[in-house]
C-alpha cells in the first residue's frame, strides 16, 4: 500500500470555515442596521456602539490574560457581542451603561463559563436584561428618530403604545419598516435587518428555520389574540425587537439547537413566550426574556430531538 491509514479521534471532517469567518459575516450583516441607526439617531448611536465594542474586546483580552488562557479576541466574537449589545440599547443611554453591559456580557456570562462555546445563554441578551432591571428609566427612555438626533423630546415606543391601547398613535407601516420610529439602535429598521438576514442565509451562516418560525408564531398568535386584526399583528412584528432577536439573537450557534426538529420547537416556544409576555404581562416587550428562557432549555430540547444512529435497536423494557 502506497498510502497510510491514519487513525485519529473525531472530528474526521474539517472545514475551511473558521469562527473568525462566521463572525466577520455577522458583522457585515449588521452593517446595514448600523448605518440605519446612525442615520436615524445621529452620531450618538456610533458612540454607544464604539463604547460597547471597545469594552467587550478589552474585557475579553484582560480576562484571557488573567486566566492565562489563549487569547480569543482575534476570532471577532467579542466584537459581535459588543455590537449586539449596543443594538439593544437606546441612543440616549449614558456611556457607562454600555460599558457595564459589556463587562457583564463578557466577564460574567461568557468568560466565567469558559469562553466562546461554553456560555449557556446569549451574553448580549442577558446583559440587556440586567441593564433593564438596573437602569429601567434609562433603558426605556426613547427619543424620536429623524433630524439626526436633534429632537430631545422623549416619547413612547410603538410597542408601548400598543400595550397602552393607543393604536391611533402608531406610526405608519413604512416608518416602522425603514426604522423611522423610537426604539433601540438595532431593532427599529426592519429593512436593514432583513438585508442582513438575506446575506447570512446566502452565506449559509444561519438557517432561515428559526427566524421564520419565530416571527410566524408571533404573527399567528397576535392575530388570534388581537381579534383577527391584521394591523395589530403587523405592528407587533415591525415594532420592537422581534425581527432583530429572531435573526441575530435566537440563531446564536452556542445557545440554539442543532437539529431541525429542535430548531422548530425552540423557535415556536420563543414565539409563544414572546406573545404571552407582550399580551398578558406588564412588559410591552418579551423577546429578550423569551430567548434567554429558551437558551436555558436548549440542552433538554437537544436531548429529546437528537437523531438515533443508523442501525440502533430499541432497548427492550
Amino acid at each position: 500500500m502506497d498510502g497510510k491509514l491514519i487513525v485519529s479521534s473525531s472530528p474526521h471532517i474539517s472545514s475551511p470555515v473558521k469562527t473568525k469567518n462566521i463572525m466577520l459575516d455577522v458583522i457585515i450583516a449588521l452593517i446595514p442596521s448600523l448605518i440605519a441607526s446612525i442615520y436615524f439617531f445621529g452620531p450618538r448611536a456610533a458612540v454607544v456602539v464604539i463604547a460597547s465594542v471597545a469594552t467587550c474586546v478589552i474585557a475579553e483580552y484582560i480576562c484571557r490574560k488573567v486566566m492565562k488562557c489563549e487569547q480569543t479576541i482575534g476570532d471577532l466574537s467579542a466584537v459581535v457581542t459588543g455590537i449586539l449589545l449596543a443594538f439593544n440599547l437606546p441612543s440616549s443611554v449614558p456611556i457607562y451603561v454600555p460599558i457595564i453591559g459589556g463587562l457583564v456580557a463578557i466577564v460574567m456570562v461568557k468568560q466565567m463559563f469558559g469562553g466562546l462555546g461554553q456560555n449557556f445563554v446569549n451574553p448580549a441578551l442577558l446583559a440587556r436584561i440586567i441593564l433593564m432591571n438596573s437602569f429601567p428609566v434609562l433603558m426605556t427612555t426613547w427619543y424620536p428618530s429623524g433630524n439626526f438626533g436633534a429632537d430631545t423630546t422623549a416619547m413612547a415606543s410603538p410597542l408601548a403604545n400598543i400595550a397602552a391601547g393607543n393604536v391611533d398613535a402608531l406610526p405608519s407601516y413604512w416608518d416602522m419598516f425603514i426604522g423611522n420610529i423610537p426604539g433601540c439602535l438595532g431593532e427599529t429598521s426592519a429593512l436593514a435587518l432583513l438585508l442582513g438576514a438575506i446575506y447570512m442565509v446566502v452565506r449559509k451562516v444561519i438557517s432561515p428555520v428559526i427566524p421564520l418560525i419565530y416571527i410566524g408564531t408571533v404573527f399567528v398568535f397576535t392575530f388570534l389574540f388581537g381579534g383577527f386584526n391584521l394591523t395589530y399583528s403587523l405592528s407587533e412584528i415591525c415594532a420592537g425587537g422581534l425581527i432583530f432577536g429572531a435573526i441575530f439573537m435566537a440563531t446564536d450557534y452556542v445557545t440554539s439547537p442543532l437539529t431541525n426538529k429542535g430548531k422548530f420547537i425552540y423557535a415556536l416556544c420563543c414565539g409563544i413566550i414572546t406573545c404571552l409576555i407582550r399580551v398578558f404581562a406588564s412588559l410591552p416587550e418579551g423577546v429578550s426574556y423569551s430567548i434567554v428562557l429558551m437558551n436555558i432549555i436548549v440542552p433538554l430540547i437537544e436531548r429529546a430531538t437528537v437523531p438515533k444512529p443508523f442501525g440502533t435497536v430499541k432497548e427492550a423494557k
Side-chain angles (χ1 to χ4, degrees), residues 20-38:
K20 183 177 181 179
N21 303 124
I22 296 173
M23 295 301 165
L24 182 59
D25 278 332
V26 175
I27 293 172
I28 294 173
L30 288 166
I31 288 177
S33 296
L34 176 61
I35 295 172
S37 68
I38 296 173

Side-chain angles (χ1 to χ4, degrees), residues 34 38 42-54 86 91 93-95 98 185:
L34 176 61
I38 296 173
R44 177 70 182 178
V47 174
V48 173
V49 173
I50 292 171
S52 180
V53 171
S91 61
V93 293
I95 296 303
L185 296 181

